[in-house]
Amino acid sequence: MDHSTVSDDALRQSQYRDASNLNARIRIHKLFTVAAESWEDFILSNLQLSPGEVVLELGCGNASQTRHNRGAYPSSLCY
């Protein structure tokens, strides 16, 4: 698919109408990644969260990183 000629509406309908394509890409990465740590662990280690901070995830796909790391966030973090 040549994205330079496809409208935003067409992409929303074909690629982003639901989470199935994103979930497929996540599964592929989980099955075939060669990284030393998972994507979710990488995200958590680089967030540098402080107690009392409020995190807003907006437009973050299916929130798999948040669900995976929920138990690792500081207990005082609002989410």
Side-chain angles (χ1 to χ4, degrees), residues 43 70 74:
I43 293 295
R70 180 171 247 169

Side-chain angles (χ1 to χ4, degrees), residues 37-49 69 72-73:
E37 64 183 335
S38 72
W39 174 248
E40 294 88 358
D41 293 338
F42 171 80
I43 293 295
L44 180 65
S45 67
N46 286 281
L47 282 177
Q48 301 176 358
L49 300 172
N69 289 319
Y73 294 143

Side-chain angles (χ1 to χ4, degrees), residues 7-67:
S7 72
D8 289 344
D9 287 336
L11 283 174
R12 277 192 291 276
Q13 291 301 313
S14 67
Q15 293 296 311
Y16 305 112
R17 106 180 127 244
D18 59 38
S20 61
N21 288 330
L22 174 61
N23 290 334
R25 288 190 291 276
I26 289 170
R27 276 193 309 277
I28 288 169
H29 284 284
K30 286 187 181 293
L31 289 171
F32 299 106
T33 190
V34 295
E37 64 183 335
S38 72
W39 174 248
E40 294 88 358
D41 293 338
F42 171 80
I43 293 295
L44 180 65
S45 67
N46 286 281
L47 282 177
Q48 301 176 358
L49 300 172
S50 298
E53 289 183 323
V54 177
V55 175
L56 172 65
E57 281 192 325
L58 187 63
C60 296
N62 63 5
S64 63
Q65 291 102 350
T66 300
R67 285 194 310 274

